[in-house]
Amino acid sequence: MIVLLSVCALHGCAATVVGGTVGGAALVAQDPRTTGSFIEDQAIELKAYAALRREPDTASKVHASFTSYDRVVLISGEANDAQARERVAELVRTIPNVRKVHNELNLAAPSAIPSRWSDSYVTTKVKSRFLSTEGVNPLRIKVVTENGTVYLMGIVSRQEAEAATQVARTTAGVQRVVRLFDLADE
């Protein structure tokens, strides 16, 4: 179970771990997405990993993670070359129901396991700080960290986006914050 939670923490799939439990129901109830959209996001992530696995030549050149929120996909990680970077984005764009793709693959060698664990720890710190921040609902915001860069995704108000961004920026280990929010009050 610990290994499963660790792997999920690296890939942002905590909802998968608690799915089907009372905690999973609470998570979905707090999420501004419809249940169908929530499930579609999980399916998009799985389809992205499957598409990459079907292209072993490209897969051997990248370390990619896929995070979908309201059918907007964040691709994070590293690619050995620009061609592999773009090919991964093309694969994701062909997945049905994907609205937008943010290709944040860095041109670099794949990160080492200690770096990934450090990123997972930063994600945990940011999410933990959300718990004690008034006006920020941690169940409505996905946090992904890659090489010290924190990506924030969710459907939130402008005020909640500002508060969450400030929390992330002031968390130890965060080098940069990228906001990929859909603002509910616009």
Side-chain angles (χ1 to χ4, degrees):
M1 181 67 162
I2 291 172
V3 172
L4 177 61
L5 288 172
S6 297
V7 169
C8 286
L10 287 173
H11 295 289
C13 61
T16 304
V17 174
V18 295
T21 66
V22 173
L27 181 64
V28 172
Q30 290 288 317
D31 199 304
R33 297 172 291 175
T34 66
T35 302
S37 182
F38 182 88
I39 292 168
E40 182 67 28
D41 284 331
Q42 296 296 311
I44 287 169
E45 291 174 7
L46 293 172
K47 290 174 184 175
Y49 284 109
L52 183 57
R53 277 193 309 274
R54 284 191 299 273
E55 293 201 12
D57 192 46
T58 301
S60 69
K61 297 177 183 177
V62 300
H63 160 253
S65 295
F66 305 98
T67 307
S68 181
Y69 195 97
D70 199 31
R71 300 176 298 128
V72 174
V73 180
L74 165 66
I75 307 170
S76 58
E78 302 84 26
N80 288 346
D81 58 55
Q83 187 176 18
R85 180 184 189 275
E86 186 52 37
R87 180 63 187 146
V88 172
E90 287 173 18
L91 291 171
V92 174
R93 284 186 198 103
T94 66
I95 297 171
N97 298 320
V98 169
R99 285 191 308 128
K100 187 172 185 177
V101 175
H102 295 280
N103 187 355
E104 294 289 329
L105 285 173
N106 292 314
L107 292 177
S111 59
I113 296 295
S115 175
R116 294 180 200 166
W117 281 107
S118 176
D119 287 339
S120 180
Y121 181 58
V122 168
T123 294
T124 300
K125 289 193 300 186
V126 171
K127 287 182 176 184
S128 296
R129 290 189 64 211
F130 284 170
L131 291 170
S132 62
T133 303
E134 189 171 326
V136 176
N137 183 340
L139 298 176
R140 297 168 56 107
I141 301 172
K142 276 196 176 184
V143 179
V144 177
T145 306
E146 190 72 47
N147 199 25
T149 298
V150 172
Y151 300 92
L152 302 173
M153 302 176 79
I155 303 170
V156 297
S157 68
R158 179 174 299 284
Q159 184 176 0
E160 188 171 13
E162 293 301 326
T165 301
Q166 185 60 26
V167 167
R169 283 187 180 136
T170 59
T171 300
V174 174
Q175 296 174 15
R176 182 173 79 123
V177 176
V178 176
R179 294 168 35 144
L180 304 174
F181 292 124
D182 281 335
L183 297 178
D185 50 1
E186 286 192 353

